Amino acid sequence: MRFDSALGLESRKGPLAVGGKVLIYGFMVVVFTGPLVGLLVSAFSKTLDPTSFSLWPDDFTLENFVQAKEKNVYLYLLNSFIVVGFGLLLQMLVSVFAAYSLARKKFRGMTFVLLLMLTTMMLPEEIIAIPLSLVLADMPLLHVNLIGTYAGMILPVGAWGFSILVMTEFMKEVPVELEEAARIDGAGEMRIFATIILPLCRPALGVIGVFGFTMIWDQYLLPLIVAPESSMWTLPIALRSLRSDEEVGIGVLLAASLLALLPSIIAFLAFQRQFMRGLTSGAIKG
Amino acid sequence: MTSTLTEARSRTATPHRRTKRVRWRGPLVAWLFLAPALLLFLYFKFIPMFVGLWKSFFKVQTFLGDEWLGLQNYQTIISDADFAAAIWHSVLLALGTTVGSLVLGLGFALLIEGPARYLWFVRTAAFLPVVTTMAAVAEVWRIMFHPAPSGMLNVIIGWVGIDAQPWLASEHSSLWSIMLMSIWRGTPYDMMIFLAGLVGVDRTLYEAAAVDGASTWHRLRHITLPALRPVFWILFTLAAIRGLRVFVEVYVLTNGGPNGSSEVLMTLIYKLGFQKNDLGVASAGGIVLFLATLVLTLVAQMLRRRQAT
C-alpha cells in the first residue's frame, strides 16, 4: 500500500474498491454538472413549462433561439460583450501597470498602497451599491453623469485588487538581472516594462484575463444600477424580464441562460490550467 | 537598479545633482504606474464608501436637499422588524452555506485527492458551478425547484421515497432551498482550495503513521486536518463574508419572498434604495453590513492567531 493521500483511496485495488470509486466520482460529476446539462438539453427542446426541464433530450428544436431574437436576447448579448471587452482591456492594463510598480519598485507609501488594495477586496460592490449609484450620477469634481452609459459599467470594473495582487506576485519572480542588463543598454522605463517584464508574465496575463473575464461577465448589481433603459441591459440582468414575459415559454429563457453561461464556461475550459493556478495562489496569499 | 540607469545617463552631472535625481525619479515612476488603479479605486470604491457613510446620517431628498438626522437611520435599522428578520436570514444563510460548503468540500477533496488522470477530469467537471454566471444558474435552479410533483428536484427526491417539497414556494423552506443552491455552487471552490492544501501535507508522516498502525481516522485527525487548519480559516472567513453580502441568488430565486421569509440584508437595502428611494436608511444598512464584515474578518484573524500560538 502506498501513502500518497489521506484516505489512501488511490492505491486501493480490487473490484469493490474500483466500483466504489466509479460510484463516488460518477455521483460528483452528475451532481455538479447535472443542472448545466439539463439547461443545455432543455434549451434545445420544445420546452414550454418548468416540468419539462430534464436531462434527456426531448424533441430537438432551434425554435427557442429564433424566438430569442424577437426578445432582443442577441442585443443584450452584444451589450455584455461590449462591457466585458472594454472592461477587461482596461482592467488588464491597469493591473499590469500597478503590479509593475508594486513588484519592481521600492518607494515610500508602498505598504499603504498594498493596504488600500486589500481594503478594496474586503469592500464588496454590494455594500457600496447605493452610494455608488449616487457617485455615478454625479462624479465628484468632474460632474459627469455616467448612469445610462457604457462607461458607467466599464470604468468601475477597471481596477480589481485581486487581479493586481496576482500579477504582482508573478512579476516579483522576474529576475532583477534582466532588468539591470536592459538598463545598462539604455532602455527606458516603458521599454523595460513592455519588452522584458510583460512577455515573461504571459502565463500570468492568462490568469488575470480569465478571472477578469468571469468577474466582469458575472456583474449584476452594477448594470442593474447603471442601465435603466432595456436597450443597454447586459444578458444576466435581462433574464429576469424574459422570465416575467407572458408571451415566451420557458425554452426561450433557458436559451438565453445558456448564452449567458457559455462564454465563462468556454473561457474556463480553455484556460483551465491558468485558472486553477491563479485560484490557489490568489486564495492562499490574498 | 535605478541608480545604474541614472549613472549611465547623467555621467556628466555633478555628484550632488545625481543623488537628488535618483531620489525622486524612482518613486515618481512608481506612482505614475500606480495612478490609473488608484484613481479608479478612489472614484468607484473609496468615494462611494465615504458618500455612503455621510448619507447614512441624512434623510436624502433629491430636490429638497438632505436633512440631518444623526443616528436616526441606524435606529430605524436596529428597531425595524423587517431589518431584524433580514439580518437573521443573512446570518443563517451565510453560516449554513459556509459550513455546508466547507464540510462537503473537504469530504470531496479527500475523495478525489491523488495524481491519477481521470481525477483531473472529475475535478474539472465538478468545478464548473463556480465559473458559471450566477444569474443564469439561479434561473436554472428556480426551474428545478418547481414545486409541483413533476418538478425536477421533486422527481429526483421521489426516487428515494421523499414526498414532493414546495421548495421556494413556502415560507418554511425558501431560505433552505436558496442555501442548497449556494452550497452546490460553493462546494467545488472550497474543494479546490482544500486540494491545493492537501498537496502540502508531508507524505512521510502518513508512512510513519502506517508503521505505527494508525487507522485512517487517526491519520485524518492527527495529520491531515492539522495541516489544513490555515486553509480552513481562510476559507471560513472568505465564505462567511461572501455569504453575508449575498444578493443575486436571493434576488433571482425569490426576491425575498414568500412573505419576506428569505429577505436578506442586501435585497432589503436594494429595495429601500432603488424602489422606495430611501437612500439614507439604505446607506446606513450598507454601513451595518460593512461593519459586520469587518468584525467577522477581525474575529477570524484573532482566532487564527490564537490557534497558531
Side-chain angles (χ1 to χ4, degrees), chain A residues 76-126:
Chain A
Y76 305 139
L77 188 65
L78 181 69
N79 283 338
S80 275
F81 274 117
I82 291 172
V83 171
V84 86
F86 287 102
L88 188 60
L89 192 70
L90 179 68
Q91 191 184 79
M92 288 179 76
L93 272 176
V94 167
S95 300
V96 291
F97 276 127
Y100 179 63
S101 178
L102 289 171
R104 315 297 296 185
K105 305 281 165 204
K106 280 201 184 81
F107 59 96
R108 230 176 229 269
M110 191 162 146
T111 335
F112 178 67
V113 171
L114 278 170
L115 200 72
L116 281 184
M117 306 264 165
L118 285 174
T119 317
T120 63
M121 289 171 79
M122 278 173 47
L123 187 77
E125 51 157 339
E126 286 85 356

Short mmCIF file of all heavy atoms in Angstrom, two decimals, chain A residues 76-126:
data_model
loop_
_atom_site.label_atom_id
_atom_site.label_comp_id
_atom_site.label_asym_id
_atom_site.label_seq_id
_atom_site.Cartn_x
_atom_site.Cartn_y
_atom_site.Cartn_z
N TYR A 76 -28.80 42.06 -26.00
CA TYR A 76 -28.26 42.00 -24.64
C TYR A 76 -26.90 41.30 -24.62
O TYR A 76 -25.99 41.69 -23.90
CB TYR A 76 -29.22 41.26 -23.70
CG TYR A 76 -30.63 41.83 -23.67
CD1 TYR A 76 -31.73 41.01 -23.65
CD2 TYR A 76 -30.82 43.21 -23.66
CE1 TYR A 76 -33.02 41.53 -23.63
CE2 TYR A 76 -32.10 43.74 -23.64
CZ TYR A 76 -33.20 42.89 -23.64
OH TYR A 76 -34.46 43.41 -23.62
N LEU A 77 -26.80 40.27 -25.45
CA LEU A 77 -25.54 39.54 -25.54
C LEU A 77 -24.44 40.46 -26.06
O LEU A 77 -23.32 40.49 -25.54
CB LEU A 77 -25.71 38.33 -26.47
CG LEU A 77 -24.54 37.34 -26.55
CD1 LEU A 77 -24.34 36.65 -25.22
CD2 LEU A 77 -24.79 36.30 -27.64
N LEU A 78 -24.79 41.26 -27.06
CA LEU A 78 -23.83 42.22 -27.61
C LEU A 78 -23.41 43.22 -26.54
O LEU A 78 -22.22 43.52 -26.39
CB LEU A 78 -24.45 42.94 -28.81
CG LEU A 78 -23.55 43.97 -29.49
CD1 LEU A 78 -22.40 43.28 -30.21
CD2 LEU A 78 -24.34 44.84 -30.46
N ASN A 79 -24.38 43.74 -25.79
CA ASN A 79 -24.06 44.65 -24.69
C ASN A 79 -23.07 44.02 -23.72
O ASN A 79 -22.11 44.64 -23.28
CB ASN A 79 -25.33 45.04 -23.92
CG ASN A 79 -26.15 46.07 -24.67
OD1 ASN A 79 -25.61 46.79 -25.53
ND2 ASN A 79 -27.42 46.14 -24.38
N SER A 80 -23.35 42.75 -23.37
CA SER A 80 -22.45 42.04 -22.46
C SER A 80 -21.04 41.99 -23.03
O SER A 80 -20.06 42.19 -22.31
CB SER A 80 -22.95 40.61 -22.24
OG SER A 80 -23.91 40.58 -21.21
N PHE A 81 -20.95 41.71 -24.33
CA PHE A 81 -19.62 41.61 -24.95
C PHE A 81 -18.92 42.97 -25.00
O PHE A 81 -17.70 43.04 -24.82
CB PHE A 81 -19.72 41.00 -26.35
CG PHE A 81 -19.71 39.50 -26.34
CD1 PHE A 81 -20.80 38.77 -26.79
CD2 PHE A 81 -18.61 38.82 -25.83
CE1 PHE A 81 -20.79 37.38 -26.76
CE2 PHE A 81 -18.60 37.43 -25.79
CZ PHE A 81 -19.69 36.72 -26.25
N ILE A 82 -19.68 44.02 -25.22
CA ILE A 82 -19.08 45.36 -25.22
C ILE A 82 -18.48 45.66 -23.85
O ILE A 82 -17.32 46.07 -23.72
CB ILE A 82 -20.13 46.44 -25.59
CG1 ILE A 82 -20.54 46.30 -27.06
CG2 ILE A 82 -19.60 47.84 -25.31
CD1 ILE A 82 -21.69 47.18 -27.47
N VAL A 83 -19.28 45.42 -22.81
CA VAL A 83 -18.83 45.72 -21.46
C VAL A 83 -17.64 44.87 -21.08
O VAL A 83 -16.63 45.36 -20.56
CB VAL A 83 -19.98 45.53 -20.45
CG1 VAL A 83 -19.47 45.64 -19.02
CG2 VAL A 83 -21.07 46.56 -20.69
N VAL A 84 -17.71 43.57 -21.38
CA VAL A 84 -16.63 42.68 -20.96
C VAL A 84 -15.37 42.94 -21.80
O VAL A 84 -14.25 42.89 -21.29
CB VAL A 84 -17.06 41.20 -21.02
CG1 VAL A 84 -16.86 40.60 -22.37
CG2 VAL A 84 -16.34 40.38 -19.96
N GLY A 85 -15.54 43.29 -23.06
CA GLY A 85 -14.39 43.56 -23.92
C GLY A 85 -13.59 44.76 -23.44
O GLY A 85 -12.41 44.64 -23.13
N PHE A 86 -14.26 45.89 -23.36
CA PHE A 86 -13.55 47.10 -22.94
C PHE A 86 -13.17 47.03 -21.46
O PHE A 86 -12.10 47.49 -21.06
CB PHE A 86 -14.41 48.34 -23.21
CG PHE A 86 -14.48 48.69 -24.67
CD1 PHE A 86 -15.60 48.37 -25.42
CD2 PHE A 86 -13.42 49.32 -25.29
CE1 PHE A 86 -15.66 48.67 -26.77
CE2 PHE A 86 -13.46 49.62 -26.63
CZ PHE A 86 -14.59 49.30 -27.38
N GLY A 87 -14.05 46.45 -20.65
CA GLY A 87 -13.77 46.33 -19.23
C GLY A 87 -12.52 45.51 -18.96
O GLY A 87 -11.67 45.88 -18.16
N LEU A 88 -12.42 44.39 -19.67
CA LEU A 88 -11.27 43.50 -19.45
C LEU A 88 -9.98 44.15 -19.95
O LEU A 88 -8.94 44.07 -19.29
CB LEU A 88 -11.51 42.17 -20.16
CG LEU A 88 -10.48 41.08 -19.88
CD1 LEU A 88 -10.45 40.77 -18.39
CD2 LEU A 88 -10.80 39.80 -20.65
N LEU A 89 -10.06 44.82 -21.09
CA LEU A 89 -8.88 45.51 -21.62
C LEU A 89 -8.37 46.53 -20.60
O LEU A 89 -7.19 46.56 -20.26
CB LEU A 89 -9.26 46.20 -22.93
CG LEU A 89 -8.10 46.72 -23.77
CD1 LEU A 89 -7.32 45.56 -24.35
CD2 LEU A 89 -8.60 47.64 -24.87
N LEU A 90 -9.30 47.33 -20.11
CA LEU A 90 -8.94 48.35 -19.12
C LEU A 90 -8.37 47.70 -17.86
O LEU A 90 -7.32 48.10 -17.35
CB LEU A 90 -10.18 49.19 -18.78
CG LEU A 90 -9.97 50.29 -17.74
CD1 LEU A 90 -9.08 51.38 -18.29
CD2 LEU A 90 -11.31 50.87 -17.30
N GLN A 91 -9.07 46.66 -17.39
CA GLN A 91 -8.65 46.03 -16.14
C GLN A 91 -7.26 45.42 -16.25
O GLN A 91 -6.45 45.54 -15.33
CB GLN A 91 -9.67 44.94 -15.77
CG GLN A 91 -9.49 44.41 -14.38
CD GLN A 91 -10.44 43.28 -14.09
OE1 GLN A 91 -10.23 42.15 -14.49
NE2 GLN A 91 -11.52 43.58 -13.42
N MET A 92 -6.98 44.78 -17.38
CA MET A 92 -5.67 44.15 -17.54
C MET A 92 -4.57 45.20 -17.63
O MET A 92 -3.50 45.05 -17.04
CB MET A 92 -5.66 43.22 -18.75
CG MET A 92 -6.48 41.96 -18.49
SD MET A 92 -6.54 40.83 -19.89
CE MET A 92 -4.92 40.09 -19.81
N LEU A 93 -4.83 46.27 -18.37
CA LEU A 93 -3.85 47.35 -18.47
C LEU A 93 -3.56 47.95 -17.10
O LEU A 93 -2.40 48.05 -16.68
CB LEU A 93 -4.39 48.46 -19.40
CG LEU A 93 -4.08 48.30 -20.88
CD1 LEU A 93 -4.76 49.41 -21.67
CD2 LEU A 93 -2.57 48.36 -21.10
N VAL A 94 -4.62 48.30 -16.40
CA VAL A 94 -4.47 48.91 -15.09
C VAL A 94 -3.71 47.97 -14.15
O VAL A 94 -2.83 48.39 -13.40
CB VAL A 94 -5.86 49.26 -14.51
CG1 VAL A 94 -5.79 49.59 -13.04
CG2 VAL A 94 -6.47 50.42 -15.28
N SER A 95 -4.05 46.67 -14.23
CA SER A 95 -3.42 45.69 -13.33
C SER A 95 -1.93 45.53 -13.60
O SER A 95 -1.13 45.52 -12.67
CB SER A 95 -4.10 44.33 -13.47
OG SER A 95 -5.45 44.43 -13.15
N VAL A 96 -1.54 45.42 -14.87
CA VAL A 96 -0.11 45.21 -15.14
C VAL A 96 0.69 46.47 -14.79
O VAL A 96 1.80 46.37 -14.28
CB VAL A 96 0.18 44.78 -16.60
CG1 VAL A 96 -0.33 43.38 -16.85
CG2 VAL A 96 -0.37 45.74 -17.62
N PHE A 97 0.11 47.63 -15.03
CA PHE A 97 0.81 48.87 -14.66
C PHE A 97 1.02 48.92 -13.15
O PHE A 97 2.12 49.14 -12.67
CB PHE A 97 0.01 50.10 -15.12
CG PHE A 97 0.28 50.47 -16.55
CD1 PHE A 97 -0.77 50.63 -17.45
CD2 PHE A 97 1.57 50.69 -17.00
CE1 PHE A 97 -0.52 50.97 -18.77
CE2 PHE A 97 1.82 51.03 -18.31
CZ PHE A 97 0.77 51.17 -19.20
N ALA A 98 -0.06 48.72 -12.41
CA ALA A 98 0.02 48.80 -10.95
C ALA A 98 0.96 47.73 -10.41
O ALA A 98 1.78 47.98 -9.52
CB ALA A 98 -1.36 48.66 -10.33
N ALA A 99 0.88 46.53 -10.97
CA ALA A 99 1.70 45.42 -10.49
C ALA A 99 3.18 45.71 -10.75
O ALA A 99 4.04 45.40 -9.93
CB ALA A 99 1.29 44.12 -11.16
N TYR A 100 3.48 46.32 -11.90
CA TYR A 100 4.87 46.66 -12.23
C TYR A 100 5.45 47.54 -11.13
O TYR A 100 6.56 47.32 -10.65
CB TYR A 100 4.92 47.38 -13.58
CG TYR A 100 6.30 47.79 -14.00
CD1 TYR A 100 7.28 46.84 -14.24
CD2 TYR A 100 6.63 49.13 -14.17
CE1 TYR A 100 8.55 47.21 -14.63
CE2 TYR A 100 7.89 49.51 -14.56
CZ TYR A 100 8.85 48.56 -14.79
OH TYR A 100 10.12 48.93 -15.18
N SER A 101 4.67 48.50 -10.73
CA SER A 101 5.12 49.42 -9.69
C SER A 101 5.30 48.69 -8.35
O SER A 101 6.31 48.85 -7.67
CB SER A 101 4.09 50.54 -9.56
OG SER A 101 4.46 51.42 -8.57
N LEU A 102 4.33 47.87 -7.99
CA LEU A 102 4.36 47.20 -6.68
C LEU A 102 5.43 46.12 -6.62
O LEU A 102 6.01 45.87 -5.57
CB LEU A 102 2.99 46.60 -6.37
CG LEU A 102 1.88 47.59 -6.06
CD1 LEU A 102 0.54 46.90 -5.97
CD2 LEU A 102 2.18 48.32 -4.75
N ALA A 103 5.70 45.47 -7.75
CA ALA A 103 6.63 44.34 -7.72
C ALA A 103 8.07 44.78 -7.96
O ALA A 103 9.00 44.18 -7.44
CB ALA A 103 6.22 43.31 -8.77
N ARG A 104 8.28 45.80 -8.78
CA ARG A 104 9.63 46.11 -9.23
C ARG A 104 10.20 47.39 -8.65
O ARG A 104 11.36 47.71 -8.90
CB ARG A 104 9.67 46.22 -10.77
CG ARG A 104 8.94 45.15 -11.51
CD ARG A 104 9.52 43.78 -11.30
NE ARG A 104 10.88 43.65 -11.80
CZ ARG A 104 11.54 42.49 -11.80
NH1 ARG A 104 10.96 41.41 -11.33
NH2 ARG A 104 12.77 42.44 -12.24
N LYS A 105 9.41 48.16 -7.94
CA LYS A 105 9.89 49.44 -7.43
C LYS A 105 9.87 49.42 -5.91
O LYS A 105 9.06 48.71 -5.30
CB LYS A 105 9.00 50.60 -7.91
CG LYS A 105 8.85 50.69 -9.39
CD LYS A 105 10.05 51.33 -10.02
CE LYS A 105 10.03 51.09 -11.50
NZ LYS A 105 11.35 51.16 -12.10
N LYS A 106 10.75 50.24 -5.34
CA LYS A 106 10.67 50.46 -3.90
C LYS A 106 10.36 51.94 -3.70
O LYS A 106 11.02 52.79 -4.28
CB LYS A 106 12.01 50.14 -3.24
CG LYS A 106 12.23 48.67 -3.01
CD LYS A 106 13.28 48.46 -1.93
CE LYS A 106 13.58 46.99 -1.76
NZ LYS A 106 14.52 46.50 -2.76
N PHE A 107 9.34 52.23 -2.98
CA PHE A 107 9.02 53.64 -2.75
C PHE A 107 8.28 53.80 -1.43
O PHE A 107 7.71 52.86 -0.89
CB PHE A 107 8.17 54.20 -3.90
CG PHE A 107 6.87 53.48 -4.13
CD1 PHE A 107 5.70 53.96 -3.57
CD2 PHE A 107 6.83 52.31 -4.90
CE1 PHE A 107 4.51 53.29 -3.78
CE2 PHE A 107 5.63 51.65 -5.10
CZ PHE A 107 4.47 52.12 -4.55
N ARG A 108 8.30 54.99 -0.93
CA ARG A 108 7.63 55.31 0.31
C ARG A 108 6.13 55.19 0.12
O ARG A 108 5.60 55.64 -0.89
CB ARG A 108 7.94 56.76 0.64
CG ARG A 108 8.43 57.02 2.02
CD ARG A 108 8.75 58.50 2.06
NE ARG A 108 10.07 58.71 2.64
CZ ARG A 108 10.24 58.89 3.95
NH1 ARG A 108 9.21 58.90 4.76
NH2 ARG A 108 11.44 59.09 4.43
N GLY A 109 5.44 54.60 1.05
CA GLY A 109 3.99 54.52 0.94
C GLY A 109 3.52 53.24 0.28
O GLY A 109 2.33 53.05 0.03
N MET A 110 4.45 52.33 -0.01
CA MET A 110 4.09 51.10 -0.69
C MET A 110 3.17 50.22 0.19
O MET A 110 2.19 49.68 -0.29
CB MET A 110 5.35 50.33 -1.03
CG MET A 110 5.11 49.20 -1.96
SD MET A 110 6.68 48.73 -2.68
CE MET A 110 6.46 47.01 -2.82
N THR A 111 3.52 50.14 1.47
CA THR A 111 2.69 49.34 2.38
C THR A 111 1.28 49.90 2.43
O THR A 111 0.29 49.16 2.44
CB THR A 111 3.28 49.38 3.81
OG1 THR A 111 4.66 49.64 3.71
CG2 THR A 111 3.02 48.09 4.52
N PHE A 112 1.20 51.24 2.42
CA PHE A 112 -0.09 51.91 2.45
C PHE A 112 -0.92 51.54 1.21
O PHE A 112 -2.10 51.21 1.31
CB PHE A 112 0.11 53.42 2.53
CG PHE A 112 -1.16 54.20 2.51
CD1 PHE A 112 -2.06 54.12 3.57
CD2 PHE A 112 -1.47 55.01 1.43
CE1 PHE A 112 -3.23 54.85 3.55
CE2 PHE A 112 -2.65 55.74 1.40
CZ PHE A 112 -3.54 55.66 2.47
N VAL A 113 -0.26 51.57 0.04
CA VAL A 113 -0.96 51.23 -1.20
C VAL A 113 -1.45 49.78 -1.15
O VAL A 113 -2.59 49.49 -1.51
CB VAL A 113 -0.05 51.44 -2.43
CG1 VAL A 113 -0.70 50.89 -3.68
CG2 VAL A 113 0.25 52.92 -2.60
N LEU A 114 -0.58 48.87 -0.68
CA LEU A 114 -0.99 47.47 -0.58
C LEU A 114 -2.19 47.30 0.35
O LEU A 114 -3.10 46.53 0.07
CB LEU A 114 0.18 46.62 -0.08
CG LEU A 114 1.18 46.21 -1.15
CD1 LEU A 114 2.43 45.61 -0.53
CD2 LEU A 114 0.54 45.21 -2.12
N LEU A 115 -2.17 48.08 1.43
CA LEU A 115 -3.28 48.04 2.38
C LEU A 115 -4.57 48.52 1.71
O LEU A 115 -5.64 47.93 1.89
CB LEU A 115 -2.94 48.93 3.57
CG LEU A 115 -3.74 48.64 4.84
CD1 LEU A 115 -3.30 47.33 5.46
CD2 LEU A 115 -3.59 49.78 5.83
N LEU A 116 -4.45 49.58 0.90
CA LEU A 116 -5.60 50.08 0.17
C LEU A 116 -6.20 49.00 -0.74
O LEU A 116 -7.41 48.81 -0.81
CB LEU A 116 -5.22 51.29 -0.69
CG LEU A 116 -5.09 52.65 -0.01
CD1 LEU A 116 -4.80 53.72 -1.05
CD2 LEU A 116 -6.35 53.00 0.76
N MET A 117 -5.29 48.29 -1.43
CA MET A 117 -5.74 47.23 -2.35
C MET A 117 -6.50 46.16 -1.58
O MET A 117 -7.56 45.69 -2.00
CB MET A 117 -4.55 46.56 -3.04
CG MET A 117 -3.65 47.52 -3.74
SD MET A 117 -4.05 47.63 -5.47
CE MET A 117 -3.17 49.10 -5.92
N LEU A 118 -5.94 45.76 -0.43
CA LEU A 118 -6.60 44.72 0.37
C LEU A 118 -7.96 45.22 0.87
O LEU A 118 -8.93 44.46 0.91
CB LEU A 118 -5.72 44.32 1.55
CG LEU A 118 -4.52 43.46 1.18
CD1 LEU A 118 -3.61 43.23 2.38
CD2 LEU A 118 -4.99 42.10 0.64
N THR A 119 -8.01 46.52 1.24
CA THR A 119 -9.29 47.08 1.70
C THR A 119 -10.34 46.97 0.61
O THR A 119 -11.49 46.59 0.87
CB THR A 119 -9.12 48.55 2.08
OG1 THR A 119 -7.92 48.70 2.81
CG2 THR A 119 -10.29 49.02 2.91
N THR A 120 -9.94 47.28 -0.64
CA THR A 120 -10.94 47.22 -1.71
C THR A 120 -11.44 45.80 -1.90
O THR A 120 -12.57 45.58 -2.30
CB THR A 120 -10.37 47.71 -3.05
OG1 THR A 120 -9.30 46.85 -3.44
CG2 THR A 120 -9.89 49.12 -2.96
N MET A 121 -10.56 44.81 -1.62
CA MET A 121 -11.00 43.43 -1.78
C MET A 121 -11.99 43.04 -0.69
O MET A 121 -12.81 42.15 -0.86
CB MET A 121 -9.81 42.48 -1.76
CG MET A 121 -8.97 42.61 -3.02
SD MET A 121 -7.43 41.70 -2.92
CE MET A 121 -7.99 40.04 -3.24
N MET A 122 -11.87 43.71 0.46
CA MET A 122 -12.79 43.42 1.56
C MET A 122 -14.06 44.26 1.48
O MET A 122 -14.95 44.14 2.29
CB MET A 122 -12.10 43.68 2.90
CG MET A 122 -11.22 42.56 3.37
SD MET A 122 -10.30 43.06 4.81
CE MET A 122 -11.59 43.78 5.81
N LEU A 123 -14.08 45.15 0.50
CA LEU A 123 -15.19 46.08 0.39
C LEU A 123 -15.99 45.73 -0.86
O LEU A 123 -15.80 46.30 -1.90
CB LEU A 123 -14.63 47.50 0.28
CG LEU A 123 -15.58 48.66 0.32
CD1 LEU A 123 -16.02 48.91 1.74
CD2 LEU A 123 -14.91 49.88 -0.25
N PRO A 124 -16.88 44.77 -0.75
CA PRO A 124 -17.54 44.25 -1.94
C PRO A 124 -18.51 45.26 -2.54
O PRO A 124 -19.01 46.14 -1.84
CB PRO A 124 -18.30 43.04 -1.42
CG PRO A 124 -18.05 42.96 0.02
CD PRO A 124 -17.39 44.19 0.47
N GLU A 125 -18.77 45.09 -3.82
CA GLU A 125 -19.61 46.03 -4.55
C GLU A 125 -21.01 46.15 -3.95
O GLU A 125 -21.63 47.20 -4.01
CB GLU A 125 -19.71 45.63 -6.02
CG GLU A 125 -20.09 44.17 -6.20
CD GLU A 125 -20.72 43.89 -7.56
OE1 GLU A 125 -21.21 44.82 -8.19
OE2 GLU A 125 -20.72 42.71 -7.95
N GLU A 126 -21.50 45.05 -3.35
CA GLU A 126 -22.84 45.08 -2.81
C GLU A 126 -22.99 46.17 -1.75
O GLU A 126 -24.00 46.87 -1.69
CB GLU A 126 -23.19 43.72 -2.19
CG GLU A 126 -23.48 42.62 -3.18
CD GLU A 126 -22.21 41.94 -3.66
OE1 GLU A 126 -21.12 42.39 -3.25
OE2 GLU A 126 -22.32 40.97 -4.43
#
